[in-house]
Amino acid sequence: MTTASTTAIVGALSCQKNSFLKTFNTKVVSSYEFIPPLTSKDKQNKKSKSNKTKEFGVEFQDTILFPEGGGQPYDKGTITILPENKVIEVKSVLRDKLKAVHLVDEMIEPGTEVTLNVDWARRIDIMQQHTGQHLLSAVFDTFGLETLSWSMGEEINYIELPEKINDELLGEVQERVNQLIVEGIKITVVTPDQHGHEVDVSHLPDDYDLSKGIIRIVKIGELDANPCCGTHLTSTSQIQSIALLHQAPIRGGHSRLFFTCGARVANVLRKEHEILRNVATNQLSCAIEAVGEKVELLNLNTRKSNSTINALLKELAGLEASKIYQNFKDGKKVAYVYRTDLPDYLTAVNKELLNLINGDDSSVDLSKNQTLVLLHGAPSNGGSIKITGPEASSIQTELKSKLTNLKGGGKGTSFQGKITKFEKGELESVLKYLDSICT
């Protein structure tokens, strides 16, 4: 356990000097009600401020709890008030220019002696991910592929690369990073003077005062040197392992390469294996090794089934359209089709009917003489409606009087609308009305 005696700035915090400290004695320098900057949502919602629980910002002479920054999340931990040993949870740690601000639920009197305790499981996990990213990016640098950005997730992280990486190179990088982990390369933090080379500070936050602050350069042996404020491991061996997972294309031809490090590798493997085992055993009734073959067969059968269903759907729609067409030729002016499901069926009926109309010289004409109503939906799900024909205006007016939640529009001989919900008895009333005008 270490005792603080001087006020430290971000860049020279004890957590940055020795990222393996787990407990630390220090004193409260200041404590105040913390008012976070208003977000765009806060500005729109005037009540949001009054609904929020009060938070207090606490600054110490020094800290082992890292404030969020540099792509690294904040540490979590506790404050033990001395000598009564009252424990207060640290909700988050933020950087305010050169100061580390610890957010808690109550005020702590300045001058109070405390012991800080870091959530070590979270800290070591974060260090494995962050140092792992440095190592991974360093290896990609050797192939001329710069890391454009990165993000640390709860389980999986990603780096953004300027292009999609082929499988051969991914395999080579995967092997290389894990070999460097096995080699246990020393990781150190130096200042620009100690580094002896020009340092790119373009990625440092705009509000970090370089004239008073400290630039830290994280070095992985002679392989890599990058400015970074985060907490890091002291050897590549402490990363344990890095697993490259998959890629996702993004803007400008760039690629996000997803990866995970350290203890997370085993956790992700165990989770994914359990999912695969469950699918194999409970869904497909096969060995894990046969899942790919089984899924391929299922997809093939599904495509065949869908093809059969579509053919039958078209055939039924053709029969329905022929019936409507004949009724129109026999003098009926209005027809409707209603389905609780399969909205595609209504589209198919409409298409088949238009084909019949366009292929004949009869008086059937949905723009002048006849009107077709297509209604889809169920009381629990809402639905949709489409009206085509000279009676569209009068029918939609009547339907709007019967359907509270009908929204839509159209011009002249067409109307199209959505019903977000059928109120009690509305669907039955609409169907009764449509029956009455189609007789």
Side-chain angles (χ1 to χ4, degrees), residues 218-254:
V218 177
K219 295 187 67 177
I220 303 176
E222 298 302 318
L223 175 67
D224 186 57
N226 264 302
C228 184
C229 67
T231 53
H232 283 276
L233 302 170
T234 57
S235 168
T236 58
S237 64
Q238 294 162 345
I239 301 172
Q240 295 181 347
S241 64
I242 296 178
L244 306 186
L245 303 174
H246 64 278
Q247 294 182 82
I250 55 172
R251 65 197 180 281
H254 296 178

CSV table of all heavy atoms in Angstrom, one decimal, residues 218-254:
chain,number,residue,atom,x,y,z
A,218,VAL,N,4.3,4.7,-24.8
A,218,VAL,CA,4.3,3.3,-24.5
A,218,VAL,C,5.1,2.5,-25.5
A,218,VAL,O,4.8,2.6,-26.7
A,218,VAL,CB,2.9,2.7,-24.4
A,218,VAL,CG1,2.9,1.2,-24.1
A,218,VAL,CG2,2.0,3.5,-23.3
A,219,LYS,N,6.2,1.8,-25.1
A,219,LYS,CA,7.1,1.1,-26.0
A,219,LYS,C,6.9,-0.4,-25.8
A,219,LYS,O,6.9,-0.9,-24.6
A,219,LYS,CB,8.5,1.5,-25.7
A,219,LYS,CG,8.8,3.0,-26.0
A,219,LYS,CD,10.3,3.3,-25.9
A,219,LYS,CE,11.1,2.6,-27.0
A,219,LYS,NZ,12.5,2.9,-27.0
A,220,ILE,N,6.8,-1.1,-26.9
A,220,ILE,CA,6.9,-2.6,-26.8
A,220,ILE,C,8.2,-3.0,-27.4
A,220,ILE,O,8.4,-3.1,-28.7
A,220,ILE,CB,5.7,-3.2,-27.6
A,220,ILE,CG1,4.3,-2.7,-27.1
A,220,ILE,CG2,5.7,-4.7,-27.6
A,220,ILE,CD1,3.1,-3.1,-27.9
A,221,GLY,N,9.2,-3.1,-26.6
A,221,GLY,CA,10.5,-3.4,-27.0
A,221,GLY,C,11.0,-2.4,-28.1
A,221,GLY,O,10.8,-1.2,-27.9
A,222,GLU,N,11.5,-2.9,-29.1
A,222,GLU,CA,11.9,-2.0,-30.3
A,222,GLU,C,10.8,-2.1,-31.4
A,222,GLU,O,11.0,-1.5,-32.5
A,222,GLU,CB,13.3,-2.4,-30.8
A,222,GLU,CG,14.4,-2.3,-29.8
A,222,GLU,CD,14.5,-0.9,-29.3
A,222,GLU,OE1,14.4,0.1,-30.1
A,222,GLU,OE2,14.7,-0.7,-28.1
A,223,LEU,N,9.7,-2.8,-31.1
A,223,LEU,CA,8.7,-3.0,-32.2
A,223,LEU,C,7.8,-1.8,-32.3
A,223,LEU,O,7.4,-1.4,-33.5
A,223,LEU,CB,7.9,-4.2,-31.8
A,223,LEU,CG,6.7,-4.5,-32.7
A,223,LEU,CD1,7.2,-5.0,-34.1
A,223,LEU,CD2,5.8,-5.6,-32.1
A,224,ASP,N,7.5,-1.1,-31.2
A,224,ASP,CA,6.4,-0.1,-31.3
A,224,ASP,C,6.7,1.0,-30.2
A,224,ASP,O,7.1,0.7,-29.1
A,224,ASP,CB,5.1,-0.7,-31.2
A,224,ASP,CG,3.9,0.3,-31.4
A,224,ASP,OD1,3.9,0.9,-32.5
A,224,ASP,OD2,3.1,0.4,-30.5
A,225,ALA,N,6.3,2.2,-30.6
A,225,ALA,CA,6.3,3.3,-29.6
A,225,ALA,C,5.2,4.3,-30.0
A,225,ALA,O,5.2,4.8,-31.1
A,225,ALA,CB,7.7,4.0,-29.7
A,226,ASN,N,4.3,4.4,-29.1
A,226,ASN,CA,3.1,5.3,-29.4
A,226,ASN,C,2.7,6.1,-28.1
A,226,ASN,O,2.7,5.6,-27.0
A,226,ASN,CB,1.9,4.4,-29.8
A,226,ASN,CG,1.8,4.3,-31.3
A,226,ASN,OD1,1.6,5.3,-32.0
A,226,ASN,ND2,1.8,3.1,-31.8
A,227,PRO,N,2.4,7.4,-28.3
A,227,PRO,CA,1.9,8.2,-27.2
A,227,PRO,C,0.6,7.6,-26.7
A,227,PRO,O,-0.3,7.2,-27.5
A,227,PRO,CB,1.6,9.5,-27.8
A,227,PRO,CG,2.4,9.6,-29.1
A,227,PRO,CD,2.4,8.2,-29.6
A,228,CYS,N,0.4,7.4,-25.4
A,228,CYS,CA,-0.8,6.8,-24.8
A,228,CYS,C,-0.9,7.1,-23.4
A,228,CYS,O,0.1,7.0,-22.6
A,228,CYS,CB,-0.8,5.3,-25.0
A,228,CYS,SG,-2.3,4.5,-24.5
A,229,CYS,N,-2.0,7.5,-22.9
A,229,CYS,CA,-2.2,7.9,-21.5
A,229,CYS,C,-2.7,6.7,-20.6
A,229,CYS,O,-2.8,6.8,-19.4
A,229,CYS,CB,-3.2,9.0,-21.3
A,229,CYS,SG,-4.9,8.6,-21.8
A,230,GLY,N,-3.0,5.6,-21.3
A,230,GLY,CA,-3.7,4.5,-20.6
A,230,GLY,C,-2.8,3.7,-19.7
A,230,GLY,O,-1.5,3.8,-19.7
A,231,THR,N,-3.4,2.8,-19.0
A,231,THR,CA,-2.7,1.8,-18.1
A,231,THR,C,-2.3,0.6,-19.0
A,231,THR,O,-3.1,0.1,-19.8
A,231,THR,CB,-3.5,1.4,-16.9
A,231,THR,OG1,-4.8,0.9,-17.4
A,231,THR,CG2,-3.7,2.5,-16.0
A,232,HIS,N,-1.1,0.1,-18.8
A,232,HIS,CA,-0.6,-1.0,-19.7
A,232,HIS,C,0.1,-2.1,-18.9
A,232,HIS,O,0.5,-1.8,-17.8
A,232,HIS,CB,0.3,-0.4,-20.8
A,232,HIS,CG,-0.4,0.2,-21.9
A,232,HIS,ND1,-1.0,-0.4,-22.9
A,232,HIS,CD2,-0.7,1.6,-22.1
A,232,HIS,CE1,-1.6,0.4,-23.8
A,232,HIS,NE2,-1.4,1.6,-23.3
A,233,LEU,N,0.2,-3.2,-19.5
A,233,LEU,CA,0.9,-4.3,-18.9
A,233,LEU,C,2.4,-4.0,-19.0
A,233,LEU,O,2.9,-3.1,-19.7
A,233,LEU,CB,0.6,-5.6,-19.7
A,233,LEU,CG,-0.9,-6.0,-19.7
A,233,LEU,CD1,-1.2,-7.1,-20.7
A,233,LEU,CD2,-1.4,-6.4,-18.3
A,234,THR,N,3.2,-4.9,-18.4
A,234,THR,CA,4.7,-4.7,-18.4
A,234,THR,C,5.4,-5.7,-19.3
A,234,THR,O,6.6,-5.6,-19.5
A,234,THR,CB,5.2,-4.7,-17.0
A,234,THR,OG1,4.9,-6.0,-16.4
A,234,THR,CG2,4.7,-3.6,-16.1
A,235,SER,N,4.7,-6.6,-19.8
A,235,SER,CA,5.3,-7.6,-20.7
A,235,SER,C,4.2,-8.1,-21.7
A,235,SER,O,3.0,-8.3,-21.3
A,235,SER,CB,5.8,-8.8,-19.9
A,235,SER,OG,6.2,-9.9,-20.8
A,236,THR,N,4.5,-8.4,-22.9
A,236,THR,CA,3.6,-9.0,-23.8
A,236,THR,C,3.0,-10.3,-23.4
A,236,THR,O,1.9,-10.7,-23.7
A,236,THR,CB,4.2,-9.1,-25.2
A,236,THR,OG1,5.3,-10.0,-25.2
A,236,THR,CG2,4.6,-7.8,-25.9
A,237,SER,N,3.8,-11.0,-22.5
A,237,SER,CA,3.3,-12.3,-22.1
A,237,SER,C,2.1,-12.2,-21.2
A,237,SER,O,1.3,-13.1,-21.1
A,237,SER,CB,4.4,-13.0,-21.3
A,237,SER,OG,4.7,-12.3,-20.1
A,238,GLN,N,1.9,-11.0,-20.6
A,238,GLN,CA,0.7,-10.8,-19.7
A,238,GLN,C,-0.6,-10.6,-20.5
A,238,GLN,O,-1.7,-10.7,-20.0
A,238,GLN,CB,0.9,-9.6,-18.8
A,238,GLN,CG,2.1,-9.8,-17.8
A,238,GLN,CD,2.6,-8.5,-17.3
A,238,GLN,OE1,2.3,-7.4,-17.8
A,238,GLN,NE2,3.3,-8.6,-16.2
A,239,ILE,N,-0.5,-10.4,-21.8
A,239,ILE,CA,-1.6,-10.4,-22.7
A,239,ILE,C,-2.3,-11.7,-22.8
A,239,ILE,O,-3.5,-11.9,-23.0
A,239,ILE,CB,-1.3,-9.9,-24.1
A,239,ILE,CG1,-0.6,-8.5,-24.1
A,239,ILE,CG2,-2.5,-9.8,-25.0
A,239,ILE,CD1,-0.1,-8.0,-25.4
A,240,GLN,N,-1.5,-12.8,-22.7
A,240,GLN,CA,-1.9,-14.2,-22.7
A,240,GLN,C,-2.1,-14.7,-24.1
A,240,GLN,O,-1.5,-15.6,-24.6
A,240,GLN,CB,-3.1,-14.5,-21.8
A,240,GLN,CG,-2.8,-14.2,-20.3
A,240,GLN,CD,-4.0,-14.5,-19.5
A,240,GLN,OE1,-5.1,-14.7,-19.9
A,240,GLN,NE2,-3.8,-14.6,-18.2
A,241,SER,N,-3.1,-14.1,-24.8
A,241,SER,CA,-3.4,-14.5,-26.2
A,241,SER,C,-4.2,-13.4,-26.9
A,241,SER,O,-4.9,-12.6,-26.2
A,241,SER,CB,-4.1,-15.8,-26.3
A,241,SER,OG,-5.3,-15.8,-25.6
A,242,ILE,N,-4.2,-13.4,-28.2
A,242,ILE,CA,-5.1,-12.5,-29.0
A,242,ILE,C,-5.7,-13.4,-30.1
A,242,ILE,O,-5.1,-14.2,-30.8
A,242,ILE,CB,-4.3,-11.4,-29.7
A,242,ILE,CG1,-3.6,-10.5,-28.7
A,242,ILE,CG2,-5.1,-10.6,-30.7
A,242,ILE,CD1,-2.8,-9.4,-29.3
A,243,ALA,N,-7.1,-13.3,-30.2
A,243,ALA,CA,-7.8,-14.0,-31.2
A,243,ALA,C,-8.4,-13.0,-32.2
A,243,ALA,O,-9.2,-12.1,-31.8
A,243,ALA,CB,-8.9,-14.8,-30.5
A,244,LEU,N,-8.1,-13.2,-33.5
A,244,LEU,CA,-8.7,-12.4,-34.5
A,244,LEU,C,-10.0,-13.1,-34.9
A,244,LEU,O,-10.0,-14.3,-35.3
A,244,LEU,CB,-7.8,-12.2,-35.7
A,244,LEU,CG,-6.4,-11.7,-35.4
A,244,LEU,CD1,-5.6,-11.5,-36.6
A,244,LEU,CD2,-6.4,-10.4,-34.6
A,245,LEU,N,-11.1,-12.4,-34.9
A,245,LEU,CA,-12.4,-13.0,-35.1
A,245,LEU,C,-13.0,-12.9,-36.5
A,245,LEU,O,-13.1,-13.8,-37.2
A,245,LEU,CB,-13.4,-12.5,-34.0
A,245,LEU,CG,-12.9,-12.7,-32.6
A,245,LEU,CD1,-13.8,-12.0,-31.6
A,245,LEU,CD2,-12.7,-14.1,-32.2
A,246,HIS,N,-13.5,-11.7,-36.8
A,246,HIS,CA,-14.1,-11.5,-38.1
A,246,HIS,C,-13.9,-10.0,-38.6
A,246,HIS,O,-13.5,-9.2,-37.8
A,246,HIS,CB,-15.6,-11.9,-38.1
A,246,HIS,CG,-16.4,-11.0,-37.2
A,246,HIS,ND1,-16.5,-11.2,-35.8
A,246,HIS,CD2,-17.2,-9.9,-37.5
A,246,HIS,CE1,-17.2,-10.2,-35.3
A,246,HIS,NE2,-17.7,-9.5,-36.3
A,247,GLN,N,-14.3,-9.8,-39.8
A,247,GLN,CA,-14.2,-8.4,-40.4
A,247,GLN,C,-15.6,-7.9,-40.8
A,247,GLN,O,-16.5,-8.7,-41.1
A,247,GLN,CB,-13.3,-8.3,-41.6
A,247,GLN,CG,-11.8,-8.6,-41.3
A,247,GLN,CD,-11.0,-8.5,-42.5
A,247,GLN,OE1,-10.6,-7.4,-42.9
A,247,GLN,NE2,-10.7,-9.6,-43.1
A,248,ALA,N,-15.8,-6.6,-40.8
A,248,ALA,CA,-17.0,-6.0,-41.3
A,248,ALA,C,-16.6,-4.8,-42.2
A,248,ALA,O,-15.9,-3.9,-41.7
A,248,ALA,CB,-17.9,-5.6,-40.1
A,249,PRO,N,-17.1,-4.7,-43.4
A,249,PRO,CA,-16.8,-3.6,-44.3
A,249,PRO,C,-17.5,-2.3,-43.8
A,249,PRO,O,-18.6,-2.4,-43.3
A,249,PRO,CB,-17.3,-4.0,-45.6
A,249,PRO,CG,-18.4,-5.0,-45.3
A,249,PRO,CD,-18.0,-5.7,-44.1
A,250,ILE,N,-16.8,-1.2,-43.9
A,250,ILE,CA,-17.4,0.1,-43.5
A,250,ILE,C,-17.0,1.1,-44.6
A,250,ILE,O,-16.5,0.7,-45.7
A,250,ILE,CB,-16.9,0.6,-42.1
A,250,ILE,CG1,-15.4,0.7,-42.1
A,250,ILE,CG2,-17.5,-0.3,-41.0
A,250,ILE,CD1,-14.9,1.3,-40.8
A,251,ARG,N,-17.3,2.4,-44.4
A,251,ARG,CA,-17.2,3.4,-45.4
A,251,ARG,C,-15.8,3.4,-46.0
A,251,ARG,O,-14.8,3.1,-45.4
A,251,ARG,CB,-17.4,4.8,-44.7
A,251,ARG,CG,-16.4,5.1,-43.7
A,251,ARG,CD,-16.7,6.2,-42.7
A,251,ARG,NE,-15.6,6.4,-41.8
A,251,ARG,CZ,-15.4,5.6,-40.7
A,251,ARG,NH1,-16.2,4.6,-40.5
A,251,ARG,NH2,-14.4,5.9,-39.9
A,252,GLY,N,-15.8,3.9,-47.3
A,252,GLY,CA,-14.5,4.1,-48.0
A,252,GLY,C,-13.7,2.9,-48.2
A,252,GLY,O,-12.5,3.0,-48.4
A,253,GLY,N,-14.3,1.7,-48.2
A,253,GLY,CA,-13.5,0.5,-48.4
A,253,GLY,C,-12.7,0.0,-47.2
A,253,GLY,O,-11.9,-0.9,-47.3
A,254,HIS,N,-12.9,0.7,-46.1
A,254,HIS,CA,-12.2,0.3,-44.8
A,254,HIS,C,-12.8,-0.9,-44.2
A,254,HIS,O,-13.9,-1.4,-44.6
A,254,HIS,CB,-12.2,1.5,-43.8
A,254,HIS,CG,-11.5,2.7,-44.2
A,254,HIS,ND1,-11.5,3.9,-43.5
A,254,HIS,CD2,-10.8,3.0,-45.4
A,254,HIS,CE1,-10.8,4.8,-44.1
A,254,HIS,NE2,-10.4,4.3,-45.3
